């Protein structure tokens, strides 16, 4: 296996893309990059700076200050997990909150935000040896990626996974609210004008509605190793 491969894993929210990408990267000795975490960090920044009020985004101020946003990933040596840092602060937990999930799709629709995050993703992945998960990795960020996987699952299955994750974190968010957020994000992510979520023509689709995490990892590893 070449060491400088680029593996793009795109798909809908809550399909387990990040979890599977983490394991696949570990199996291959590669670095995992969670591109969604970058859009989430930009959203958190917009909240911190009061560029989001009553669900309204002050797009001009956010664009003007995009270059004040420093996003990094650092490995926690104890847990071996990558954490997202926003301007020097570990925001890994904060960026997963429902408040962020509700605003991240409209924030990631802004072309300047996309350009900013895509440039960062291309820089982080330029040497290869990466597994990057997101929505447009195989179409826009790395159109020449060595492997492109597109992960799908039914909205109900995905909402149930997210609901259980929230429950494990002690957060009691009603199932219908979680399903509504999944459907809304699917719609915005796949209908935005600029770099929408879509399967690249040469991507291999994996529907994991009836698979658990390990089965999905096995399927993707099989695809990678069979080439
Ligand atoms: O993967 P995630 O659910 O954490 O991503 C959060 C949001 O970020 C998602 O709803 C859309 C946006 N996103 C994107 O537009 N492009 C990417 N490559 C990754 C995420």
């Amino acid at each position: 296996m070449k060491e400088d491969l680029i593996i793009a894993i795109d798909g809908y929210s809550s399909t387990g893309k990040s979890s599977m990408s983490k394991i696949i990267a570990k199996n291959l000795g590669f670095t995992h990059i969670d591109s969604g975490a970058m859009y989430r960090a930009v959203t958190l920044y917009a909240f911190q700076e009061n560029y989001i009020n009553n669900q309204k985004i002050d797009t001009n101020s956010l664009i003007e200050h995009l270059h004040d946003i420093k996003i990094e990933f650092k490995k926690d040596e104890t847990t071996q997990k990558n954490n997202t840092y926003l301007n020097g602060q570990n925001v890994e937990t904060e960026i997963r909150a429902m408040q962020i999930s509700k605003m991240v799709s409209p924030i990631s629709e802004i072309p300047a935000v996309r350009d900013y995050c895509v440039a960062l993703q291309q820089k982080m992945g330029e040497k290869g040896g990466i597994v990057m998960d997101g929505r447009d990795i195989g179409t826009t960020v790395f159109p020449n990626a060595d492997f492109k996987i597109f992960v799908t699952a039914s909205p109900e299955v995905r909402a149930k996974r997210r609901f259980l994750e929230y429950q494990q974190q002690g957060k009691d968010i009603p199932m219908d609210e979680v399903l509504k957020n999944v459907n809304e994000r699917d719609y915005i992510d796949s209908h935005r004008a600029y770099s929408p979520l879509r399967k690249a023509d040469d991507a291999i689709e994996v529907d994991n509605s009836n698979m658990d995490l390990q089965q999905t990892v096995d399927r993707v590893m099989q695809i990678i190793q069979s080439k």
Side-chain angles (χ1 to χ4, degrees):
M1 175 87 48
K2 277 169 65 195
E3 285 168 10
D4 59 352
L5 295 181
I6 294 181
I7 300 173
I9 301 195
D10 288 306
Y12 292 96
S13 64
S14 304
T15 42
K17 294 185 304 294
S18 283
S19 308
M20 74 178 80
S21 300
K22 232 172 263 172
I23 301 172
I24 293 162
K26 196 161 175 238
N27 286 349
L28 299 172
F30 285 10
T31 303
H32 166 231
I33 301 171
D34 172 358
S35 69
M38 299 182 191
Y39 293 96
R40 288 176 178 273
V42 173
T43 308
L44 176 61
Y45 175 84
F47 271 112
Q48 287 174 343
E49 298 298 313
N50 286 321
Y51 299 152
I52 302 178
N53 277 304
N54 293 326
Q55 311 214 344
K56 274 220 146 69
I57 304 165
D58 177 352
T59 308
N60 290 340
S61 299
L62 177 60
I63 292 174
E64 214 175 292
H65 290 92
L66 270 181
H67 288 276
D68 296 337
I69 305 178
K70 191 171 169 219
I71 300 169
E72 299 161 288
F73 295 111
K74 292 188 201 165
K75 194 179 254 171
D76 179 320
E77 290 308 330
T78 322
T79 60
Q80 289 297 303
K81 274 174 136 182
N82 246 353
N83 286 322
T84 311
Y85 281 72
L86 168 63
N87 292 334
Q89 297 290 320
N90 182 345
V91 294
E92 188 55 38
T93 307
E94 246 179 297
I95 58 169
R96 313 282 164 195
M98 192 60 166
Q99 189 198 26
I100 302 290
S101 297
K102 280 186 175 162
M103 289 308 294
V104 66
S105 282
I107 288 280
S108 58
E109 262 189 300
I110 302 168
V113 169
R114 300 208 69 77
D115 289 346
Y116 176 76
C117 289
V118 168
L120 194 58
Q121 289 150 15
Q122 288 172 333
K123 178 113 196 52
M124 284 184 181
E126 68 189 352
K127 295 202 178 80
I130 56 148
V131 180
M132 191 177 289
D133 76 277
R135 304 291 189 287
D136 60 343
I137 310 305
T139 52
T140 303
V141 183
F142 291 113
N144 297 321
D146 300 279
F147 292 95
K148 297 181 186 178
I149 309 291
F150 191 80
V151 200
T152 62
S154 75
E156 289 73 21
V157 166
R158 291 184 284 126
K160 182 144 186 240
R161 288 176 187 156
R162 190 48 56 109
F163 173 79
L164 292 174
E165 263 171 39
Y166 281 128
Q167 293 248 307
Q168 274 168 7
Q169 295 163 8
K171 293 179 190 156
D172 214 5
I173 299 176
M175 181 65 185
D176 55 351
E177 192 181 337
V178 181
L179 180 60
K180 188 165 168 265
N181 179 251
V182 163
N183 283 325
E184 278 172 3
R185 284 206 288 146
D186 282 359
Y187 186 85
I188 301 175
D189 294 349
S190 49
H191 286 82
R192 65 180 171 232
Y194 197 58
S195 195
L197 164 66
R198 71 169 181 86
K199 177 181 167 294
D201 296 336
D202 52 348
I204 297 173
E205 184 164 334
V206 174
D207 181 334
N208 70 5
S209 299
N210 297 309
M211 291 184 203
D212 63 17
L213 178 60
Q214 189 56 51
Q215 288 168 322
T216 314
V217 168
D218 290 347
R219 173 81 190 102
V220 176
M221 287 301 294
Q222 205 180 41
I223 293 169
I224 295 169
Q225 279 155 352
S226 70
K227 259 214 197 171

